[in-house]
Amino acid sequence: MTDKELNSIESYLNNVFKTKLIVVKKRKSISDSCEIYLDNEFLGLIYKETEDGEEDYQFHMTILKDDLK
């Protein structure tokens, strides 16, 4: 993902969730996804999907059962 894409995703997420605490970070050796943080808490990954000439982004967030207690 390009820096422009990462900045756009970060702006979008902060706007949707009405915060300024979401940070998008590049992954070290994987270029088709990025890490999403709220403050310093890891939330999940966003994957770039390219199909039929269209680009979309999928947000994957795992919720551990222990976190629900």
Side-chain angles (χ1 to χ4, degrees):
M1 293 181 158
T2 66
D3 288 340
K4 183 178 178 182
E5 287 174 302
L6 298 176
N7 290 335
S8 293
I9 291 168
E10 185 172 291
S11 293
Y12 171 79
L13 292 174
N14 278 304
N15 184 49
V16 166
F17 294 110
K18 297 181 182 14
T19 185
K20 293 183 181 183
L21 299 176
I22 294 176
V23 177
V24 176
K25 297 181 181 179
K26 282 186 181 183
R27 297 182 75 190
K28 289 188 170 130
S29 61
I30 302 169
S31 63
D32 69 341
S33 59
C34 58
E35 298 175 346
I36 308 301
Y37 291 84
L38 179 62
D39 232 354
N40 291 317
E41 177 87 21
F42 177 75
L43 291 181
L45 299 169
I46 290 186
Y47 293 91
K48 181 177 180 177
E49 300 287 328
T50 305
E51 189 173 315
D52 299 329
E54 293 187 21
E55 294 179 349
D56 296 304
Y57 303 90
Q58 293 185 9
F59 182 38
H60 293 254
M61 180 177 171
T62 300
I63 300 171
L64 302 175
K65 187 173 183 177
D66 288 343
D67 290 341
L68 297 176
K69 295 179 183 175

